[in-house]
Amino acid sequence: MASEVIEGEMDFSLNLFADNWGFILKIIIIIYIGVPVLVIIVTVGYIVRHWVAFWSWIGYSRPLALARMLGASPDRMWMSRTGLMWALDKSDVKAVKTILDLDCNVNPADGHGYTAVSLAAIRGSVELTSLLLARGSSPNVPDVSSPNAAPLSSSTLDLSHMPSSSSTLPVPQSCPLLAAVASGSERMVTVLLENGATYPKETGSMLIWYAVVKSRNEALVPLLIDHGYGEGLQEVDAGDASNLLHAAAGDGCEQMVAALMQNDCDNHAGNQAGITPLMVAVRQGHGKVMKLLVASSRCDVNAMDKEGWTALHHALRLGQIDCAKWLIEEVPSLLVDLPSGQGHMTALFIASVRGFAPLVKCLLERGASVAVRDSFGLSPVEAANKFENRAVAEILQAAAGSEDR
């Protein structure tokens, strides 16, 4: 009896399936064919509406010519950027020209807030910048991005020549001129200035800060100063209370150092550690910059940092023999017997420890005393013997004998 019931239910189910097979097949067709077709239609429609931005994002410029025929707006955004901004980002000159011919907005801002001219400047393309300016883009529309937006301010600047921790550049309001300076392109900066680009004069020294510390292009300094952006230059803090001369001296940029000094950038100021620009140049072995700084009437070659080291002490400690030799032989005001704040070590003592025989001779010729001892009571002769610098010890013993006589 039970088996007959089960068989009856199965027959009913099979008959029901057979009677509705056509309907079920239609449902399957709709699911597996209709839905994908609908998705494709919607996607194509969306792409057509965003035709210019989509193909610019892809990086393929040929389909852009169809935009007018399709009625696609050149100013619609794709992933937070218009077609013009995507083309500029990829430095695609052909695509930029095509999009500009579509009567697009020439002063758009992307999702990061950068304007068209700023983006062209960031990419370092003078051709694109000139093209935008010729088509009516403004060189003075400020970016509306966060002051910490990349790429102007994302990287920590290399201030390895500083005695303490590196610092990041404080970022002012970004604009095309600042972007061009940060890119380091003199031609770009010139093109923008010739087309009326400006920057607030009260913070204009920030442009030179970028030229010195970020782009490190010495040709930009006199160019910007000639356009009136040197006001307050000596007050700019390049990190750790260092001024711009510290950064330029550390990089060995002779022309940049000269330009900064001509515009009253203090070449005697010490940073938080008391390091002066002269010490920075000496520590890095930049002899030409060292000579340029010493030639200034405001430079004190005997100045000490907060640990009691002079420029000569730094040169000897770091093995900058040429710099040390020049200071000893060519700077009459140099005090050769000035002891350091730490260890009470004179230049002769440091040279003896390091085994610099030629410099020991130079110091003795300048009248350096062999009798001055360090804080542990060691004389230069004893220090030379302790570090097994035999040649130096012999020179010092001979000098000590002549002093006794």
Side-chain angles (χ1 to χ4, degrees), residues 363-379:
L363 286 164
L364 291 172
E365 290 172 2
R366 274 292 303 266
S369 173
V370 296
V372 181
R373 297 176 179 271
D374 72 350
S375 57
F376 294 99
L378 291 178
S379 68

Side-chain angles (χ1 to χ4, degrees), residues 166-323:
S166 299
S167 62
T168 52
L169 217 58
V171 181
Q173 174 64 55
S174 177
C175 66
L177 186 56
L178 184 67
V181 171
S183 74
S185 172
E186 183 182 1
R187 281 189 62 206
M188 182 83 69
V189 173
T190 301
V191 166
L192 286 170
L193 289 172
E194 289 176 348
N195 281 273
T198 60
Y199 195 79
K201 290 295 175 71
E202 61 271 17
T203 57
S205 55
M206 186 62 68
L207 291 174
I208 299 178
W209 185 347
Y210 264 75
V212 174
V213 182
K214 187 169 180 68
S215 67
R216 298 178 179 177
N217 185 343
E218 58 191 35
L220 291 178
V221 175
L223 175 63
L224 292 169
I225 289 174
D226 288 344
H227 282 80
Y229 293 109
E231 185 177 348
L233 193 60
Q234 66 278 6
E235 300 172 3
V236 177
D237 181 359
D240 297 336
S242 303
N243 63 25
L244 293 179
L245 264 180
H246 287 86
D251 285 332
C253 299
E254 186 180 357
Q255 293 180 5
M256 193 177 287
V257 168
L260 291 170
M261 288 173 60
Q262 289 170 4
N263 285 272
D264 298 323
C265 200
D266 192 356
N267 67 342
H268 181 56
N271 59 17
Q272 287 181 352
I275 300 288
T276 65
L278 175 61
M279 294 176 192
V280 173
V282 167
R283 284 157 59 105
Q284 297 296 314
H286 298 313
K288 291 183 178 180
V289 171
M290 172 192 67
K291 294 174 184 178
L292 189 62
L293 290 166
V294 170
S296 169
S297 58
R298 289 191 296 179
C299 181
D300 181 4
V301 293
N302 298 308
M304 287 186 168
D305 63 21
K306 292 187 177 180
E307 293 185 353
W309 302 104
T310 66
L312 179 58
H313 291 148
H314 282 293
L316 292 168
R317 290 173 65 204
L318 297 175
Q320 301 294 357
I321 295 176
D322 291 339
C323 289

Side-chain angles (χ1 to χ4, degrees), residues 116-133:
V117 181
S118 283
L119 191 55
I122 290 168
R123 293 292 170 260
S125 175
V126 176
E127 182 180 6
L128 287 175
T129 303
S130 301
L131 180 60
L132 288 169
L133 294 171

